[in-house]
Amino acid sequence: MTVAASLFPGGVNSPVRAYRAVGGEPPVLVRGAGAFVWDQSGRRYIDYVGAFGPLVLGHAHRAVVEAIEAAAEAGGSFGVTSPGEVRLAELICARMPSVERIRFVNSGTEAAMSALRVARAATVRELVIKFDGGYHGHADSLLVAAGSAAATLSIPDSAGVTRSVAAQTLVANYNDLESVEALLARHSGQVAAVIVEPVAANMGVVAPLPGFLAGLRGLTQSSGALLIFDEVITGFRVAPGGAQELYGVRPDLTVLGKIIGGGLPVGAYGGRADLMDLVAPSGPVYQAGTLSGHPVVMAAGEATLRQLTPEVYASIEHEAARLEAGLRVKGASVARVGSLLTLFFNDRPPRNFREAKASDTAAFARFFHSMLDAGVLLPPSQFEALFVSAAHDRSVIDATIEAIA
Ligand SMILES: *Cc1c(COP(=O)(O)O)cnc(C)c1O
């Protein structure tokens, strides 16, 4: 869109939308319903982008649209706590017991940034360990070795992030406990937190190896650092209680976003009550937001979570497994955790970002475009997950498998 190109840097308001990694111009999408989206000319595509994660029910789910309408009718933001915030928080805390207290914000970026602030305040330590290829939003201290978007554009770190801030972030290898142990030993008594995507989903999908997350729990506990799970993608997607339920590891703090806003802008961080009580006004960690906990967003999130019954998860899992089988093409491998999938042009699923980067991205770009021609819209990068939603029923998955063939 030439007008967009003159208005927005690179024609977009978020970099991966620009199709730089696969070439060509993105379609101009004007409508979505269920598993489908339509472009300006009326052409229909099966959508596996899912707005990059939030749309676990598909586009324009009836219950979500109605909840948004009702909340908008009831007036906007009141500048006081509203019942919708309480209801969504209760749903989240009930399904994710490690989240004893929660604070809503407006993006995953804000949530991750704030969780680090709490960790640093709680431990009175300054360093943070993240993983190569792990993405936690674009806060300065987390834009180090940050996965998909940066990798896609071949920008290892961002310009504009000062060396002194970047130096407070240490980078370990995903699925490599020894790399974490070594950093903790070298910086003994200085590491405030280890932040991790419990299922890495911004280097393509990379599942944690057995014992990796439990190992992180042990290492953080013994070194006095906090364990932060970034469940912005995995939360309420890979299991009713997120990756922490699926793998049975309880973090100190959890970062949320995407699904809990039902497709509207949202983030949240929460965890142990004693830690969250450090947040203003009950404690000294300042963090605020004019539109945080917006009633319309809360309503969309609540409607989404209420739809996510165990039966819905079971059916998404079933269809995602069928898609996984259908995706097994020659010279490629499929990584899948629940409804998150990546087709890597690699002979086996990677265990870390270095292995993910060995994937043949030119082959991915060719696959992407042939699928697009066949009416299937994939995320435009080897390093972004495919998102299967509850609207991707048997017939949609069958049609996708046919397109692959
Ligand atoms: C998307 C994402 C974020 C950032 O959320 P925004 O709402 O885009 O700021 C943080 N962490 C993970 C794991 C994400 O996938």
Side-chain angles (χ1 to χ4, degrees):
M1 262 190 290
T2 47
V3 181
S6 72
L7 289 169
F8 311 123
V12 293
N13 284 306
S14 194
V16 76
R17 297 178 192 171
Y19 278 32
R20 294 271 167 102
V22 290
E25 285 293 314
V28 178
L29 302 176
V30 292
R31 191 164 86 82
F36 302 103
V37 289
W38 284 263
D39 71 14
Q40 266 177 328
S41 70
R43 179 151 189 238
R44 191 181 82 167
Y45 304 84
I46 299 174
D47 181 32
Y48 287 99
V49 181
F52 290 103
L55 302 184
V56 68
L57 301 177
H59 293 269
H61 189 282
R62 218 43 254 157
V64 178
V65 172
E66 279 168 12
I68 289 171
E69 281 171 359
E73 287 288 348
S77 232
F78 303 109
V80 291
T81 298
S82 63
E85 291 163 69
V86 175
R87 284 196 302 270
L88 180 56
E90 281 176 339
L91 278 175
I92 292 171
C93 295
R95 292 182 191 197
M96 214 173 245
S98 79
V99 180
E100 296 167 353
R101 269 208 240 317
I102 187 167
R103 169 66 61 86
F104 287 113
V105 293
N106 302 296
S107 68
T109 293
E110 239 186 289
M113 175 185 86
S114 307
L116 288 193
R117 192 176 296 154
V118 169
R120 286 175 163 137
T123 57
V124 201
R125 297 173 174 193
E126 299 203 344
L127 302 179
V128 166
I129 295 176
K130 74 178 286 292
F131 292 90
D132 185 21
Y135 183 64
H136 309 289
H138 64 87
D140 281 7
S141 66
L142 288 165
L143 267 190
V144 179
S148 55
T152 297
L153 301 174
S154 303
I155 305 169
D157 299 309
S158 174
V161 173
T162 62
R163 266 173 303 157
S164 60
V165 168
Q168 301 197 316
T169 305
L170 311 171
V171 180
N173 285 324
Y174 193 76
N175 275 328
D176 177 358
L177 285 173
E178 275 170 28
S179 71
V180 179
E181 205 169 357
L183 288 174
L184 286 170
R186 192 173 326 136
H187 304 276
S188 176
Q190 294 175 273
V191 175
V194 174
I195 184 167
V196 63
E197 291 179 71
V199 175
N202 284 286
M203 46 175 117
V205 175
V206 178
L209 291 173
F212 175 61
L213 298 173
L216 290 181
R217 181 65 284 183
L219 287 173
T220 46
Q221 226 139 27
S222 60
S223 67
L226 299 181
L227 180 60
I228 304 175
F229 274 6
D230 181 342
E231 295 228 41
V232 170
I233 282 186
T234 54
F236 309 104
R237 179 172 280 281
V238 298
Q244 50 197 271
E245 176 185 70
L246 187 61
Y247 297 103
V249 175
R250 189 180 172 106
D252 300 295
L253 292 169
T254 297
V255 180
L256 295 166
K258 296 191 173 129
I259 283 177
I260 63 162
L264 301 185
V266 80
Y269 63 105
R272 275 166 44 194
D274 64 308
L275 297 174
M276 291 305 292
D277 283 344
L278 294 170
V279 178
S282 65
V285 176
Y286 195 71
Q287 185 275 306
T290 303
L291 292 172
S292 294
H294 193 285
V296 175
V297 179
M298 298 293 106
E302 182 189 349
T304 299
L305 288 198
R306 289 203 190 284
Q307 293 294 317
L308 289 171
T309 59
E311 298 73 50
V312 169
Y313 283 107
S315 115
I316 299 178
E317 168 72 28
H318 181 75
E319 294 306 330
R322 292 207 311 122
L323 178 61
E324 176 187 2
L327 272 174
R328 296 198 179 283
V329 297
K330 220 165 72 85
S333 62
V334 189
R336 182 179 74 87
V337 176
S339 55
L340 297 170
L341 296 94
T342 299
L343 177 67
F344 284 106
F345 287 86
N346 229 348
D347 45 14
R348 59 181 185 142
R351 291 163 300 184
N352 55 42
F353 194 34
R354 189 175 46 76
E355 291 180 5
K357 279 189 292 192
S359 187
D360 182 348
T361 52
F364 174 82
R366 287 193 297 276
F367 177 70
F368 171 88
H369 279 291
S370 62
M371 291 299 280
L372 190 66
D373 290 344
V376 179
L377 189 61
L378 302 177
S381 164
Q382 172 70 93
F383 305 112
E384 302 281 353
L386 272 74
F387 295 98
V388 178
S389 82
H392 291 72
D393 59 15
R394 167 164 285 272
S395 66
V396 171
I397 299 295
D398 284 345
T400 308
I401 292 171
E402 224 165 273
I404 296 164

